Amino acid sequence: MRRTSFANWPCSIARTMDLLGDWWTPLVLREAFYGVTRFDTFQQELGIARNTLADRLRRLVDEGLLEKRPYQSEPVRHDYVLTEKGHDFFGVLAAMNNWGNRWLSGDDGPPVVFHHEPCGHEGTPEVVCAHCKQPMTSEDTRPRMGPGFPPRLAERADVRRRFA
């Protein structure tokens, strides 16, 4: 069954989900943030089928989140290293981890916390406004059409109501 592509939707959330595609892709990226770079280590840590892993790594390389760097020539083998675009995905994973720690942790507490090296404390990620540095919440933040929103859709009354 072929899935619907969201790659061209006028929504960055939809486009990001199109890139992620399934539950394995964020987990591959999580392992890359944990320092994993080798195919066999990704496979071992995730228990993912080799063909599925190869497919996810290829997609992440094609999309520019990971870079293949040869570390052996005979046979050729590669490390998979986070790029700038890949490192920038950390905030997404940190937010997911924070939400999961708050709402899905059992009685034993959160399974993974983040240690913030500069201040030496366990940190809780927070979405803040880049301008005023205050937290942004669903109660005080509204979506607006950005410069890349398609003009043909912006003219529709139902769409304008969504962004009013």
Side-chain angles (χ1 to χ4, degrees), residues 68-84:
K68 279 173 74 169
R69 293 185 186 160
Y71 69 87
Q72 179 179 311
S73 58
E74 301 225 3
V76 175
R77 295 188 185 220
H78 296 92
D79 278 327
Y80 293 88
V81 181
L82 288 163
T83 63
E84 179 183 0

Side-chain angles (χ1 to χ4, degrees), residues 50-107:
R50 295 180 71 80
N51 63 325
T52 302
L53 176 59
D55 201 42
R56 298 318 177 270
L57 288 170
R58 187 177 317 106
R59 177 82 191 268
L60 290 167
V61 168
D62 290 347
E63 293 291 339
L65 281 88
L66 294 176
E67 177 185 336
K68 279 173 74 169
R69 293 185 186 160
Y71 69 87
Q72 179 179 311
S73 58
E74 301 225 3
V76 175
R77 295 188 185 220
H78 296 92
D79 278 327
Y80 293 88
V81 181
L82 288 163
T83 63
E84 179 183 0
K85 185 176 180 181
H87 279 287
D88 205 36
F89 196 76
F90 174 75
V92 177
L93 292 178
M96 291 171 66
N97 189 74
N98 188 47
W99 186 88
N101 283 351
R102 179 171 181 193
W103 296 105
L104 303 175
S105 291
D107 294 337

Side-chain angles (χ1 to χ4, degrees), residues 28-45:
V28 169
L29 286 167
R30 178 199 68 188
E31 292 303 312
F33 280 107
Y34 286 177
V36 173
T37 61
R38 305 270 166 100
F39 185 95
D40 289 339
T41 310
F42 281 110
Q43 201 276 324
Q44 177 184 344
E45 294 300 321

